[in-house]
Coordinates of all heavy atoms in Angstrom, one line a residue:
M468 N -85.8 -52.8 -71.3 CA -85.7 -51.5 -71.8 C -84.5 -51.5 -72.8 O -83.5 -52.0 -72.5 CB -85.4 -50.5 -70.7 CG -85.1 -49.1 -71.2 SD -84.4 -47.8 -70.2 CE -84.9 -48.1 -68.5
S469 N -84.7 -50.8 -73.9 CA -83.7 -50.8 -75.0 C -82.7 -49.7 -74.5 O -83.0 -48.6 -74.0 CB -84.3 -50.4 -76.3 OG -83.3 -50.1 -77.2
M470 N -81.4 -50.0 -74.8 CA -80.3 -49.0 -74.4 C -79.7 -48.6 -75.7 O -79.6 -49.2 -76.6 CB -79.3 -49.7 -73.4 CG -79.9 -50.1 -72.1 SD -80.0 -48.7 -71.0 CE -80.7 -49.5 -69.6
K471 N -79.1 -47.4 -75.6 CA -78.3 -46.9 -76.7 C -76.9 -46.5 -76.1 O -76.7 -45.9 -75.2 CB -78.9 -45.6 -77.3 CG -78.2 -45.1 -78.5 CD -78.9 -44.0 -79.2 CE -78.1 -43.5 -80.3 NZ -78.7 -42.4 -81.1
R472 N -75.9 -47.0 -76.9 CA -74.5 -46.8 -76.5 C -74.0 -45.3 -76.9 O -74.4 -44.7 -77.8 CB -73.6 -47.8 -77.1 CG -72.2 -47.6 -76.7 CD -71.3 -48.6 -77.5 NE -69.9 -48.5 -77.1 CZ -69.2 -49.3 -76.5 NH1 -69.8 -50.5 -76.3 NH2 -68.0 -49.1 -76.2
T473 N -73.3 -44.7 -75.9 CA -72.7 -43.4 -76.1 C -71.4 -43.3 -75.4 O -71.1 -44.1 -74.5 CB -73.7 -42.3 -75.7 OG1 -73.2 -41.0 -76.1 CG2 -73.9 -42.2 -74.2
N474 N -70.5 -42.4 -75.8 CA -69.2 -42.2 -75.2 C -69.2 -40.8 -74.6 O -69.7 -39.9 -75.1 CB -68.2 -42.2 -76.2 CG -68.1 -43.7 -76.9 OD1 -68.1 -44.6 -76.2 ND2 -67.7 -43.7 -78.1
V475 N -68.7 -40.8 -73.4 CA -68.5 -39.5 -72.6 C -67.2 -39.5 -72.1 O -66.5 -40.4 -71.8 CB -69.6 -39.3 -71.5 CG1 -71.0 -39.3 -72.1 CG2 -69.5 -40.4 -70.5
Y476 N -66.7 -38.2 -72.0 CA -65.4 -37.9 -71.2 C -65.7 -37.7 -69.8 O -66.6 -36.8 -69.5 CB -64.7 -36.8 -71.9 CG -64.1 -37.3 -73.2 CD1 -64.9 -36.9 -74.4 CD2 -63.0 -37.9 -73.4 CE1 -64.4 -37.2 -75.6 CE2 -62.5 -38.3 -74.7 CZ -63.2 -37.9 -75.8 OH -62.8 -38.2 -77.0
A477 N -65.0 -38.2 -68.8 CA -65.2 -38.0 -67.4 C -64.0 -37.7 -66.7 O -62.9 -38.2 -67.1 CB -66.0 -39.1 -66.8
D478 N -64.1 -36.9 -65.7 CA -62.9 -36.6 -64.8 C -62.5 -37.9 -64.1 O -63.2 -38.6 -63.6 CB -63.4 -35.6 -63.7 CG -62.3 -35.0 -63.0 OD1 -61.6 -34.1 -63.4 OD2 -62.1 -35.6 -61.9
P479 N -61.2 -38.1 -64.1 CA -60.6 -39.4 -63.5 C -61.1 -39.5 -62.0 O -61.3 -40.6 -61.5 CB -59.2 -39.2 -63.6 CG -58.9 -38.3 -64.7 CD -60.1 -37.4 -64.7
E480 N -61.1 -38.4 -61.2 CA -61.5 -38.5 -59.9 C -63.0 -38.9 -59.7 O -63.3 -39.7 -58.9 CB -61.3 -37.2 -59.2 CG -59.9 -36.8 -59.0 CD -59.2 -36.1 -60.1 OE1 -59.9 -35.5 -61.0 OE2 -58.0 -36.0 -60.1
D481 N -63.8 -38.4 -60.6 CA -65.3 -38.9 -60.6 C -65.3 -40.4 -60.9 O -66.1 -41.1 -60.3 CB -66.0 -38.0 -61.6 CG -66.2 -36.6 -61.2 OD1 -66.1 -36.3 -60.0 OD2 -66.5 -35.7 -62.1
L482 N -64.6 -40.8 -61.9 CA -64.6 -42.2 -62.2 C -64.2 -43.1 -61.1 O -64.6 -44.2 -60.9 CB -63.7 -42.5 -63.5 CG -64.3 -41.8 -64.8 CD1 -63.3 -42.1 -66.0 CD2 -65.6 -42.4 -65.1
A483 N -63.1 -42.7 -60.4 CA -62.7 -43.4 -59.2 C -63.7 -43.4 -58.1 O -64.0 -44.5 -57.6 CB -61.4 -42.8 -58.6
I484 N -64.5 -42.4 -57.9 CA -65.6 -42.4 -57.0 C -66.7 -43.4 -57.5 O -67.2 -44.1 -56.7 CB -66.2 -41.0 -56.8 CG1 -65.1 -40.1 -56.1 CG2 -67.5 -41.0 -55.9 CD1 -65.5 -38.7 -56.1
I485 N -66.9 -43.4 -58.7 CA -68.0 -44.3 -59.3 C -67.5 -45.7 -59.1 O -68.4 -46.6 -58.7 CB -68.3 -43.8 -60.8 CG1 -69.1 -42.6 -60.8 CG2 -69.0 -45.1 -61.5 CD1 -69.1 -42.0 -62.3
K486 N -66.3 -46.0 -59.3 CA -65.8 -47.4 -59.2 C -65.9 -47.8 -57.8 O -66.4 -48.9 -57.5 CB -64.3 -47.4 -59.7 CG -63.8 -48.8 -59.7 CD -62.2 -48.6 -60.1 CE -61.8 -49.9 -60.8 NZ -62.2 -50.1 -62.2
E487 N -65.6 -47.0 -56.8 CA -65.7 -47.3 -55.4 C -67.2 -47.6 -55.0 O -67.5 -48.4 -54.3 CB -65.1 -46.2 -54.6 CG -65.1 -46.3 -53.0 CD -64.6 -45.1 -52.4 OE1 -63.5 -44.7 -52.7 OE2 -65.3 -44.6 -51.6
A488 N -68.1 -46.6 -55.5 CA -69.5 -46.8 -55.1 C -70.1 -48.1 -55.7 O -70.9 -48.7 -55.1 CB -70.2 -45.5 -55.6
A489 N -69.7 -48.3 -56.9 CA -70.2 -49.5 -57.6 C -69.8 -50.8 -56.8 O -70.6 -51.7 -56.5 CB -69.7 -49.7 -59.0
K490 N -68.6 -50.8 -56.3 CA -68.0 -52.0 -55.6 C -68.8 -52.1 -54.3 O -69.2 -53.2 -53.9 CB -66.6 -51.8 -55.4 CG -65.9 -53.0 -54.7 CD -64.4 -52.9 -54.6 CE -63.9 -54.1 -53.7 NZ -62.4 -54.0 -53.7
R491 N -68.9 -50.9 -53.6 CA -69.6 -51.0 -52.3 C -71.1 -51.4 -52.4 O -71.5 -52.0 -51.6 CB -69.4 -49.5 -51.7 CG -70.0 -49.4 -50.3 CD -69.8 -48.0 -49.7 NE -70.5 -46.9 -50.5 CZ -69.9 -46.1 -51.3 NH1 -68.6 -46.0 -51.4 NH2 -70.6 -45.1 -51.9
R492 N -71.8 -50.9 -53.5 CA -73.2 -51.2 -53.6 C -73.4 -52.5 -54.3 O -74.5 -53.0 -54.3 CB -73.9 -50.1 -54.4 CG -73.9 -48.7 -53.6 CD -74.5 -47.6 -54.4 NE -75.8 -48.0 -55.0 CZ -76.4 -47.4 -56.0 NH1 -75.8 -46.3 -56.5 NH2 -77.6 -47.7 -56.4
G493 N -72.4 -53.1 -54.9 CA -72.6 -54.4 -55.5 C -73.3 -54.2 -56.9 O -74.0 -55.2 -57.3
V494 N -73.1 -53.1 -57.6 CA -73.7 -52.9 -58.9 C -72.5 -52.5 -59.9 O -71.4 -52.3 -59.5 CB -74.8 -51.9 -59.0 CG1 -75.9 -52.2 -58.0 CG2 -74.2 -50.5 -58.5
S495 N -72.8 -52.5 -61.2 CA -71.8 -52.2 -62.1 C -71.7 -50.7 -62.2 O -72.5 -49.9 -61.7 CB -72.2 -52.7 -63.5 OG -73.4 -51.9 -63.9
E496 N -70.4 -50.2 -62.6 CA -70.2 -48.8 -62.8 C -71.2 -48.2 -63.8 O -71.6 -47.1 -63.6 CB -68.7 -48.7 -63.2 CG -67.7 -49.1 -62.3 CD -66.2 -49.1 -62.8 OE1 -65.9 -48.1 -63.6 OE2 -65.5 -50.0 -62.5
A497 N -71.5 -49.0 -64.8 CA -72.4 -48.6 -65.8 C -73.8 -48.2 -65.2 O -74.4 -47.2 -65.6 CB -72.6 -49.6 -66.9
E498 N -74.2 -49.0 -64.3 CA -75.5 -48.7 -63.6 C -75.4 -47.4 -62.8 O -76.4 -46.6 -62.9 CB -75.9 -49.8 -62.7 CG -77.1 -49.7 -62.0 CD -78.3 -49.6 -62.9 OE1 -78.3 -50.0 -64.0 OE2 -79.4 -48.9 -62.5
I499 N -74.3 -47.1 -62.1 CA -74.2 -45.9 -61.4 C -74.2 -44.7 -62.4 O -74.9 -43.7 -62.3 CB -72.9 -45.8 -60.6 CG1 -72.8 -47.0 -59.7 CG2 -72.6 -44.4 -60.0 CD1 -73.2 -46.7 -58.2
I500 N -73.6 -44.9 -63.6 CA -73.6 -43.8 -64.6 C -75.0 -43.6 -65.2 O -75.4 -42.5 -65.3 CB -72.5 -44.2 -65.7 CG1 -71.0 -44.0 -65.0 CG2 -72.6 -43.2 -66.9 CD1 -70.0 -44.6 -65.8
R501 N -75.7 -44.7 -65.5 CA -77.0 -44.6 -66.0 C -77.9 -43.9 -65.1 O -78.7 -43.0 -65.4 CB -77.6 -46.0 -66.3 CG -77.1 -46.6 -67.6 CD -78.0 -47.8 -68.0 NE -77.6 -48.9 -67.1 CZ -76.7 -49.8 -67.3 NH1 -75.8 -49.7 -68.4 NH2 -76.5 -50.9 -66.5
Q502 N -77.8 -44.2 -63.8 CA -78.6 -43.5 -62.7 C -78.3 -42.0 -62.8 O -79.2 -41.2 -62.7 CB -78.4 -44.1 -61.3 CG -79.0 -45.4 -61.2 CD -78.5 -46.1 -59.9 OE1 -77.8 -45.5 -59.0 NE2 -79.0 -47.3 -59.6
G503 N -77.0 -41.7 -62.8 CA -76.6 -40.2 -62.9 C -77.1 -39.5 -64.2 O -77.6 -38.4 -64.0
I504 N -77.1 -40.2 -65.3 CA -77.7 -39.7 -66.5 C -79.2 -39.4 -66.4 O -79.7 -38.4 -66.8 CB -77.3 -40.6 -67.7 CG1 -75.9 -40.5 -68.0 CG2 -78.2 -40.2 -69.0 CD1 -75.4 -41.6 -69.0
H505 N -79.9 -40.3 -65.8 CA -81.3 -40.2 -65.5 C -81.6 -39.0 -64.7 O -82.5 -38.2 -65.0 CB -81.9 -41.5 -65.0 CG -83.4 -41.5 -64.8 ND1 -84.3 -41.4 -65.8 CD2 -84.2 -41.3 -63.6 CE1 -85.5 -41.3 -65.3 NE2 -85.4 -41.3 -64.0
L506 N -80.8 -38.9 -63.6 CA -81.1 -37.8 -62.7 C -80.8 -36.5 -63.3 O -81.6 -35.5 -63.2 CB -80.3 -37.9 -61.4 CG -80.6 -39.0 -60.4 CD1 -79.5 -39.1 -59.4 CD2 -82.0 -38.8 -59.9
A507 N -79.8 -36.4 -64.2 CA -79.5 -35.1 -64.9 C -80.6 -34.9 -65.9 O -81.0 -33.7 -66.1 CB -78.1 -35.3 -65.6
A508 N -81.1 -35.9 -66.6 CA -82.1 -35.7 -67.6 C -83.4 -35.2 -66.9 O -84.0 -34.3 -67.5 CB -82.4 -37.0 -68.3
M509 N -83.8 -35.8 -65.8 CA -85.0 -35.4 -65.2 C -84.9 -34.0 -64.6 O -85.9 -33.2 -64.6 CB -85.3 -36.3 -64.1 CG -85.7 -37.7 -64.7 SD -87.1 -37.7 -65.9 CE -88.5 -37.2 -64.9
A510 N -83.7 -33.6 -64.1 CA -83.5 -32.2 -63.5 C -83.6 -31.2 -64.6 O -83.9 -30.0 -64.3 CB -82.1 -32.2 -62.8
N511 N -83.3 -31.6 -65.9 CA -83.3 -30.6 -66.9 C -84.5 -30.7 -67.9 O -84.6 -30.1 -68.9 CB -82.0 -30.7 -67.8 CG -80.8 -30.2 -67.0 OD1 -80.6 -29.0 -66.8 ND2 -80.1 -31.1 -66.4
R512 N -85.4 -31.5 -67.5 CA -86.6 -31.8 -68.4 C -87.5 -30.5 -68.3 O -87.7 -29.9 -67.3 CB -87.4 -33.0 -67.9 CG -88.5 -33.3 -68.7 CD -89.2 -34.6 -68.4 NE -90.4 -34.8 -69.2 CZ -91.1 -35.9 -69.2 NH1 -90.8 -36.9 -68.3 NH2 -92.1 -36.0 -70.0
V513 N -88.1 -30.2 -69.5 CA -89.1 -29.2 -69.5 C -90.4 -29.8 -69.7 O -90.7 -30.6 -70.7 CB -88.8 -28.1 -70.6 CG1 -89.9 -27.1 -70.7 CG2 -87.4 -27.5 -70.5
W514 N -91.4 -29.6 -68.8 CA -92.7 -30.2 -68.9 C -93.6 -29.4 -69.7 O -93.6 -28.2 -69.8 CB -93.3 -30.3 -67.4 CG -92.4 -31.2 -66.6 CD1 -91.3 -30.8 -65.8 CD2 -92.4 -32.6 -66.5 NE1 -90.7 -31.9 -65.1 CE2 -91.3 -33.0 -65.6 CE3 -93.2 -33.6 -67.0 CZ2 -91.1 -34.4 -65.3 CZ3 -93.0 -35.0 -66.7 CH2 -91.9 -35.3 -65.8
D515 N -94.6 -30.0 -70.3 CA -95.5 -29.3 -71.1 C -96.5 -28.4 -70.3 O -97.0 -27.3 -70.7 CB -96.4 -30.3 -72.0 CG -95.7 -31.0 -72.9 OD1 -94.7 -30.6 -73.4 OD2 -96.1 -32.2 -73.4
E516 N -96.8 -28.9 -69.0 CA -97.6 -28.1 -68.2 C -96.9 -27.9 -66.8 O -96.2 -28.8 -66.4 CB -98.9 -28.8 -67.9 CG -99.8 -29.0 -69.1 CD -101.1 -29.8 -68.9 OE1 -101.4 -29.9 -67.6 OE2 -101.7 -30.2 -69.8
P517 N -97.2 -26.8 -66.2 CA -96.6 -26.7 -64.8 C -97.1 -27.7 -63.8 O -98.2 -28.1 -64.0 CB -96.9 -25.2 -64.4 CG -98.1 -24.9 -65.2 CD -98.0 -25.7 -66.5
L518 N -96.3 -28.0 -62.8 CA -96.7 -28.9 -61.8 C -97.9 -28.4 -61.1 O -98.9 -29.0 -60.8 CB -95.6 -29.3 -60.9 CG -95.9 -30.3 -59.8 CD1 -96.3 -31.6 -60.3 CD2 -94.6 -30.5 -58.8
F519 N -97.8 -27.1 -60.7 CA -98.9 -26.4 -60.0 C -99.4 -25.4 -60.9 O -98.7 -24.3 -61.1 CB -98.5 -25.9 -58.7 CG -97.9 -26.8 -57.7 CD1 -96.6 -27.0 -57.5 CD2 -98.9 -27.6 -57.1 CE1 -96.2 -27.9 -56.6 CE2 -98.3 -28.6 -56.2 CZ -97.0 -28.7 -55.9
S520 N -100.6 -25.5 -61.5 CA -101.1 -24.6 -62.4 C -102.1 -23.5 -61.8 O -102.4 -22.5 -62.4 CB -101.8 -25.3 -63.5 OG -102.9 -26.0 -63.1
R521 N -102.4 -23.8 -60.5 CA -103.3 -22.9 -59.8 C -102.5 -22.0 -58.9 O -101.5 -22.5 -58.2 CB -104.4 -23.6 -59.0 CG -105.3 -24.5 -59.9 CD -106.3 -25.3 -59.2 NE -107.0 -24.5 -58.2 CZ -107.8 -25.1 -57.4 NH1 -108.0 -26.4 -57.3 NH2 -108.5 -24.4 -56.5
T522 N -102.8 -20.8 -58.7 CA -102.3 -19.9 -57.8 C -103.3 -19.4 -56.8 O -104.6 -19.3 -57.2 CB -101.5 -18.7 -58.5 OG1 -102.5 -18.0 -59.3 CG2 -100.4 -19.2 -59.4
F523 N -102.9 -19.0 -55.6 CA -103.9 -18.5 -54.7 C -103.4 -17.2 -54.1 O -102.1 -16.9 -53.9 CB -104.0 -19.5 -53.5 CG -104.4 -20.9 -54.0 CD1 -103.4 -21.9 -54.2 CD2 -105.7 -21.2 -54.1 CE1 -103.8 -23.2 -54.6 CE2 -106.1 -22.4 -54.5 CZ -105.1 -23.4 -54.8
P524 N -104.3 -16.2 -53.9 CA -103.8 -14.9 -53.4 C -103.3 -15.1 -52.0 O -103.7 -15.9 -51.2 CB -105.2 -14.1 -53.3 CG -106.2 -15.1 -53.4 CD -105.7 -16.3 -54.1
G525 N -102.3 -14.3 -51.7 CA -101.8 -14.3 -50.3 C -101.3 -12.9 -49.9 O -101.4 -11.9 -50.7
P526 N -100.7 -12.8 -48.7 CA -100.3 -11.5 -48.1 C -99.0 -11.0 -48.6 O -98.5 -9.9 -48.1 CB -100.4 -11.8 -46.7 CG -100.0 -13.2 -46.5 CD -100.6 -13.8 -47.7
G527 N -98.3 -11.8 -49.4 CA -96.9 -11.3 -49.9 C -95.8 -11.6 -48.9 O -94.8 -11.0 -48.9
R528 N -96.1 -12.5 -48.0 CA -95.0 -13.0 -47.1 C -95.1 -14.5 -46.9 O -96.0 -15.2 -47.4 CB -95.2 -12.3 -45.7 CG -96.5 -12.7 -45.1 CD -96.7 -12.2 -43.6 NE -98.0 -12.4 -43.1 CZ -98.6 -13.5 -42.8 NH1 -97.9 -14.6 -42.8 NH2 -99.9 -13.5 -42.4
T529 N -94.1 -15.1 -46.4 CA -94.1 -16.5 -46.2 C -95.1 -16.9 -45.2 O -95.2 -16.4 -44.0 CB -92.7 -17.0 -45.7 OG1 -91.7 -16.6 -46.6 CG2 -92.7 -18.5 -45.5
L530 N -96.0 -17.9 -45.6 CA -97.1 -18.2 -44.8 C -96.8 -19.4 -43.9 O -96.0 -20.1 -44.3 CB -98.3 -18.6 -45.7 CG -98.9 -17.5 -46.7 CD1 -99.9 -18.1 -47.6 CD2 -99.4 -16.4 -45.8
R531 N -97.5 -19.4 -42.8 CA -97.4 -20.7 -41.9 C -98.2 -21.7 -42.5 O -99.1 -21.6 -43.4 CB -98.0 -20.3 -40.5 CG -97.2 -19.2 -39.8 CD -97.8 -19.0 -38.3 NE -99.2 -19.3 -38.3 CZ -100.2 -18.4 -38.1 NH1 -99.8 -17.1 -37.9 NH2 -101.4 -18.8 -38.0
K532 N -98.0 -23.0 -42.0 CA -98.7 -24.2 -42.5 C -100.3 -23.9 -42.4 O -101.0 -24.2 -43.4 CB -98.3 -25.3 -41.7 CG -98.9 -26.7 -42.2 CD -98.3 -27.8 -41.3 CE -98.9 -29.1 -41.6 NZ -98.3 -30.1 -40.8
D533 N -100.7 -23.4 -41.3 CA -102.0 -23.2 -41.1 C -102.6 -22.2 -42.1 O -103.8 -22.3 -42.6 CB -102.4 -22.7 -39.7 CG -102.2 -23.8 -38.7 OD1 -102.2 -25.0 -39.1 OD2 -102.0 -23.5 -37.5
D534 N -101.9 -21.1 -42.4 CA -102.3 -20.1 -43.3 C -102.5 -20.7 -44.7 O -103.4 -20.3 -45.4 CB -101.3 -18.9 -43.4 CG -101.2 -18.1 -42.1 OD1 -102.2 -18.1 -41.4 OD2 -100.0 -17.6 -41.8
V535 N -101.6 -21.5 -45.1 CA -101.6 -22.1 -46.4 C -102.9 -23.0 -46.5 O -103.6 -23.0 -47.5 CB -100.4 -23.0 -46.8 CG1 -100.5 -23.7 -48.0 CG2 -99.1 -22.1 -46.8
R536 N -103.1 -23.9 -45.5 CA -104.3 -24.7 -45.5 C -105.6 -23.9 -45.7 O -106.5 -24.2 -46.4 CB -104.3 -25.6 -44.2 CG -105.4 -26.6 -44.1 CD -105.6 -27.2 -42.8 NE -106.1 -26.2 -41.9 CZ -105.6 -25.8 -40.8 NH1 -104.5 -26.5 -40.3 NH2 -106.1 -24.9 -40.0
D537 N -105.6 -22.8 -44.8 CA -106.8 -21.9 -44.9 C -107.0 -21.3 -46.2 O -108.1 -21.2 -46.8 CB -106.7 -20.9 -43.8 CG -106.8 -21.5 -42.3 OD1 -107.2 -22.7 -42.3 OD2 -106.4 -20.8 -41.4
A538 N -105.9 -20.8 -46.8 CA -106.0 -20.2 -48.1 C -106.4 -21.1 -49.2 O -107.3 -20.8 -50.1 CB -104.7 -19.6 -48.5
V539 N -106.0 -22.4 -49.3 CA -106.4 -23.4 -50.1 C -107.8 -23.7 -49.9 O -108.6 -23.8 -50.9 CB -105.4 -24.7 -50.1 CG1 -106.0 -25.7 -50.9 CG2 -104.0 -24.2 -50.6
A540 N -108.2 -23.9 -48.7 CA -109.6 -24.2 -48.3 C -110.6 -23.1 -48.8 O -111.6 -23.4 -49.4 CB -109.7 -24.5 -46.8
D541 N -110.2 -21.9 -48.6 CA -111.0 -20.8 -49.1 C -111.2 -20.8 -50.6 O -112.2 -20.6 -51.1 CB -110.5 -19.5 -48.5 CG -110.6 -19.3 -47.1 OD1 -111.4 -20.0 -46.4 OD2 -109.9 -18.3 -46.5
A542 N -110.0 -21.0 -51.3 CA -110.0 -21.0 -52.8 C -111.0 -22.1 -53.3 O -111.7 -21.9 -54.2 CB -108.7 -21.1 -53.3
V543 N -110.8 -23.2 -52.7 CA -111.6 -24.4 -53.1 C -113.1 -24.1 -52.8 O -114.0 -24.4 -53.7 CB -111.2 -25.7 -52.4 CG1 -112.2 -26.8 -52.7 CG2 -109.8 -26.1 -52.9
R544 N -113.4 -23.6 -51.7 CA -114.7 -23.1 -51.3 C -115.4 -22.2 -52.3 O -116.5 -22.3 -52.8 CB -114.8 -22.6 -49.9 CG -116.1 -22.8 -49.2 CD -116.0 -22.4 -47.6 NE -115.0 -23.2 -46.9 CZ -113.9 -22.6 -46.3 NH1 -113.7 -21.4 -46.4 NH2 -113.0 -23.4 -45.7
R545 N -114.5 -21.1 -52.6 CA -115.0 -20.1 -53.7 C -115.2 -20.7 -55.0 O -116.1 -20.3 -55.7 CB -114.0 -19.0 -53.7 CG -114.0 -17.9 -52.6 CD -113.2 -16.8 -52.9 NE -111.8 -17.0 -53.2 CZ -110.8 -17.1 -52.5 NH1 -111.0 -17.0 -51.1 NH2 -109.6 -17.4 -52.8
E546 N -114.3 -21.7 -55.4 CA -114.5 -22.3 -56.6 C -115.8 -23.2 -56.7 O -116.4 -23.2 -57.7 CB -113.3 -23.2 -56.9 CG -113.2 -23.8 -58.3 CD -111.9 -24.5 -58.6 OE1 -110.9 -23.8 -59.0 OE2 -111.9 -25.7 -58.5
R547 N -116.0 -23.9 -55.6 CA -117.2 -24.7 -55.5 C -118.5 -23.9 -55.5 O -119.5 -24.3 -56.0 CB -117.1 -25.6 -54.3 CG -118.1 -26.8 -54.3 CD -118.0 -27.7 -53.1 NE -116.7 -28.1 -52.8 CZ -116.1 -28.2 -51.6 NH1 -116.7 -27.8 -50.6 NH2 -114.8 -28.6 -51.5
D548 N -118.5 -22.8 -54.7 CA -119.7 -21.9 -54.5 C -119.3 -20.5 -54.8 O -118.9 -19.7 -54.0 CB -120.1 -22.0 -53.1 CG -120.4 -23.4 -52.6 OD1 -121.0 -24.1 -53.4 OD2 -120.1 -23.8 -51.5
P549 N -119.3 -20.2 -56.2 CA -118.8 -18.9 -56.7 C -119.5 -17.8 -55.9 O -118.9 -16.6 -55.7 CB -119.2 -18.8 -58.1 CG -119.4 -20.3 -58.5 CD -119.8 -21.0 -57.3
G550 N -120.7 -17.8 -55.4 CA -121.3 -16.7 -54.7 C -120.9 -16.5 -53.3 O -121.2 -15.5 -52.6
T551 N -120.0 -17.4 -52.7 CA -119.5 -17.3 -51.4 C -118.4 -16.4 -51.2 O -117.5 -16.3 -51.9 CB -119.1 -18.7 -50.9 OG1 -120.1 -19.6 -51.1 CG2 -118.7 -18.7 -49.4
A552 N -118.6 -15.5 -50.3 CA -117.4 -14.6 -49.9 C -116.4 -15.2 -49.1 O -116.7 -16.1 -48.3 CB -118.1 -13.3 -49.2
A553 N -115.2 -14.7 -49.2 CA -114.0 -15.3 -48.5 C -114.0 -14.8 -47.1 O -114.4 -13.9 -46.7 CB -112.7 -14.9 -49.2

């Protein structure tokens, strides 16, 4: 993978923690920083499409696991057989 060099300013306490973690894990400080940059990038990424594009009707309260399973199964059944009542 191609890398691009950049400079950042970091809090000295954070750098000390990174140094300690790198030594403990047996990796470079740069690797820890790259991992942190990747996590920050992914946490702030905007996707072209939503992860879940389908919604299902519900009662307006937090559902139990069985309720969710039943609601999804009913929606799939209605989608497969449009004439079927819920």
Side-chain angles (χ1 to χ4, degrees):
M468 174 194 331
S469 174
M470 298 279 179
K471 184 174 179 181
R472 183 184 176 112
T473 189
N474 294 321
V475 296
Y476 292 94
D478 187 83
E480 288 87 14
D481 291 338
L482 293 175
I484 293 168
I485 289 169
K486 184 181 209 80
E487 178 183 307
K490 183 177 180 181
R491 183 178 61 252
R492 292 177 53 197
V494 298
S495 68
E496 294 171 40
E498 181 59 25
I499 302 264
I500 293 167
R501 279 192 291 272
Q502 290 172 1
I504 290 170
H505 180 70
L506 289 172
M509 294 306 292
N511 290 284
R512 182 174 180 177
V513 176
W514 300 89
D515 293 337
E516 296 179 13
L518 182 59
F519 298 105
S520 59
R521 295 174 56 186
T522 58
F523 303 97
R528 61 176 169 75
T529 302
L530 300 175
R531 297 183 331 247
K532 183 178 179 180
D533 292 342
D534 295 332
V535 172
R536 186 194 66 235
D537 293 344
V539 171
D541 290 343
V543 169
R544 211 174 295 116
R545 282 193 306 272
E546 188 175 276
R547 190 179 313 137
D548 304 317
T551 304

